[in-house]
Amino acid sequence: MTTLTVKLGERSYPIFIQPSLLTQGNQLADYIKTDKAVLVTNDLVDPLYSQTVIDSLPGNKIEKIVIADGEQHKNLASFEHVITQLLSMSAARDTTLIALGGGVIGDLTGFVAASFQRGMPFIQIPTTLLSQVDSSVGGKTAVNHPLGKNMIGAFYQPKAVFIDTKTLQTLPAKEFSAGMAEVIKYGIIYDKAFFAWLEQNIAQLIAQDVDALQYAIARCCEIKAEIVAIDERESGLRALLNLGHTFGHAIEAEQGYGNWLHGEAVAAGMVLAARAGQMKGWMSKEEVQRVIALTEAFSLPIAPPADMGYQTFMQHMAHDKKVQAGKLNFIVPKAIGDAVVTSELDETLLRSLLN
Ligand code: NAD
Ligand code: GLY
């Protein structure tokens, strides 16, 4: 088992990573302080893993809230539904919420936990690759508004994160690839050696080799924990985690949420960011080629939809959370393993990049 810590003083918490963690003596019970806990999941993950989690907590009374699967349900209606269910179960502020599922369930449950009676404890059990390497760690919680993704939310840290890498065996290949986009992201923004390791372990990762997966997920969580410990509320360093997301969110919004998976849009966005880095004279042509090749190796898109040009991107990006003082900020790699936040992508560069 790999155990990492997100170091945030009295709000520090562990991340446990191991195949079959949910069935083999996990420490979940140690993080539930009252008799009752409430499991929040969706109707796809529920039949796969809920009972395993419940069985691992024989000393607790576990109630369950199941919402419909899909990004379209990460909204205020689901938020209200979960709150209503909690009230009808007489949940209290010391009841622990357990989020079992991908990033949608984790983000929604975390936001409920942040809000219900001004805050209740919650635990993340992420079951997609994306949620295991990114969304379950770091305390960003949110639901979407019809006018924008993740527009309503809070920073609220979980008490622990339990990552059972074996749950990925039931994940559709397309979802696994989408998670790989976030894995590649860590190499580009922070760790050149990890990027090279990924290049050397493509086949092992696609085959979900136990050791390769354990290493990759642990390295991503380690990087994320390090970044969050330095900059929990994204006043600087943490923004690097948004590599590819400014372009990616525009693609998701234009195509309609769910038509392009988040990770797929991020992949195309990361390639655009790498090309922007080359246009700035930072990234070499060979490095951009390596980003493209690694992205492609995991069956991810390396370009936005053909019908999306400069104007369409700009319309969507104007709403981006990274707009500050009227200026759009982009995360741009200077080299593989080193990225910066910059507002200095001028119109000429953006037109040439996006048209
Ligand atoms: P998701 O939660 O929609 O999961 C993808 C699909 O996989 C869903 O259909 C889900 O039911 C299914 N699924 C989950 N686990 C499974 C399993 N083990 N086997 C089979 N199917 C399984 O999507 P996601 O990619 O996990 O997360 C995307 C969401 O995460 C977005 O809403 C995004 O905004 C958010 N996000 C948040 C952060 C953060 O820091 N909080 C970071 C990145 C992304
Ligand atoms: N996924 C971006 C962040 O957690 O900051």
Side-chain angles (χ1 to χ4, degrees):
M1 168 135 77
T2 309
T3 307
L4 305 166
T5 307
V6 182
K7 293 183 187 139
L8 289 167
E10 61 182 16
R11 290 175 297 113
S12 296
Y13 56 93
I15 307 169
F16 302 107
I17 309 165
Q18 189 191 290
S20 302
L21 179 65
L22 294 180
T23 44
Q24 291 172 5
N26 67 61
Q27 292 152 274
L28 201 50
D30 296 349
Y31 293 86
I32 298 175
K33 303 294 178 203
T34 53
D35 284 353
K36 191 157 79 177
V38 180
L39 183 69
V40 183
T41 188
N42 72 28
D43 54 11
L44 194 156
V45 175
D46 180 37
L48 295 173
Y49 300 112
S50 286
Q51 199 53 47
T52 310
V53 174
I54 293 169
D55 289 347
S56 74
L57 293 166
N60 296 88
K61 181 175 181 324
I62 311 296
E63 307 236 37
K64 196 165 75 175
I65 300 173
V66 181
I67 66 159
D69 179 34
E71 179 76 34
Q72 69 274 28
H73 298 291
K74 189 179 134 178
N75 59 16
L76 280 176
S78 298
F79 172 85
E80 187 178 354
H81 173 73
V82 177
I83 299 270
T84 305
Q85 295 278 305
L86 288 174
L87 289 169
S88 61
M89 290 167 180
S90 305
R93 71 193 322 178
D94 59 358
T95 304
T96 300
L97 281 190
I98 305 171
L100 174 71
V104 167
I105 286 294
D107 280 15
L108 167 69
T109 308
F111 186 48
V112 170
S115 316
F116 185 79
Q117 298 187 5
R118 302 194 183 88
M120 67 199 297
F122 90 110
I123 291 168
Q124 290 270 21
I125 307 183
T127 59
T128 62
L129 181 58
L130 182 143
S131 58
Q132 295 187 350
V133 299
D134 192 354
S135 62
S136 65
V137 174
K140 275 191 185 176
T141 73
V143 294
N144 302 328
H145 184 276
L147 294 181
K149 201 168 144 67
N150 296 328
M151 283 294 143
I152 309 157
F155 285 98
Y156 192 70
Q157 302 292 342
K159 295 292 178 201
V161 182
F162 288 83
I163 299 177
D164 181 341
T165 54
K166 214 171 163 198
T167 57
L168 301 181
Q169 286 183 358
T170 53
L171 195 65
K174 199 171 153 71
E175 296 287 353
F176 184 83
S177 287
M180 277 310 303
E182 305 282 359
V183 174
I184 295 168
K185 172 186 85 178
Y186 289 102
I188 302 175
I189 61 168
Y190 210 76
D191 189 343
K192 187 178 166 178
F194 181 52
F195 189 93
W197 181 90
L198 290 172
E199 290 177 315
Q200 286 149 20
N201 286 274
I202 293 166
Q204 291 88 328
L205 287 165
I206 291 172
Q208 293 200 20
D209 170 82
V210 171
D211 294 333
L213 212 49
Q214 176 87 8
Y215 176 73
I217 293 170
R219 183 63 193 134
C220 294
C221 288
E222 199 170 49
I223 295 173
K224 182 143 189 191
E226 208 169 298
I227 291 175
V228 168
I230 295 168
D231 179 23
E232 184 184 10
R233 295 204 164 226
E234 199 171 309
S235 45
L237 184 67
R238 185 166 181 168
L240 297 185
L241 292 168
N242 296 320
L243 175 74
H245 286 59
T246 306
F247 297 122
H249 283 160
I251 296 172
E252 278 183 280
E254 178 64 17
Q255 300 309 307
Y257 292 114
N259 291 325
W260 271 54
L261 296 180
H262 176 74
E264 292 174 329
V266 166
M270 287 194 305
V271 173
L272 285 172
R275 290 192 195 282
Q278 187 184 359
M279 289 172 166
K280 291 292 284 178
W282 298 335
M283 290 280 278
S284 69
K285 194 175 161 200
E286 291 69 33
E287 284 180 304
V288 174
Q289 209 40 56
R290 284 176 69 192
V291 170
I292 292 172
L294 189 57
T295 307
E296 222 170 5
F298 289 101
S299 310
L300 287 162
I302 53 167
D307 59 352
M308 268 188 85
Y310 172 80
Q311 294 294 355
T312 320
F313 268 101
M314 291 314 283
Q315 268 164 22
H316 289 293
M317 294 193 304
H319 300 294
D320 197 276
K321 289 199 287 299
K322 288 173 286 305
V323 176
Q324 269 173 0
K327 281 195 161 186
L328 251 182
N329 281 318
F330 295 91
I331 319 304
V332 180
K334 292 204 113 174
I336 289 175
D338 180 20
V340 288
V341 183
T342 180
S343 59
E344 286 163 19
L345 297 189
D346 61 31
E347 187 179 333
T348 314
L349 185 152
L350 285 171
R351 280 189 185 278
S352 146
L353 179 69
L354 300 171
N355 278 327

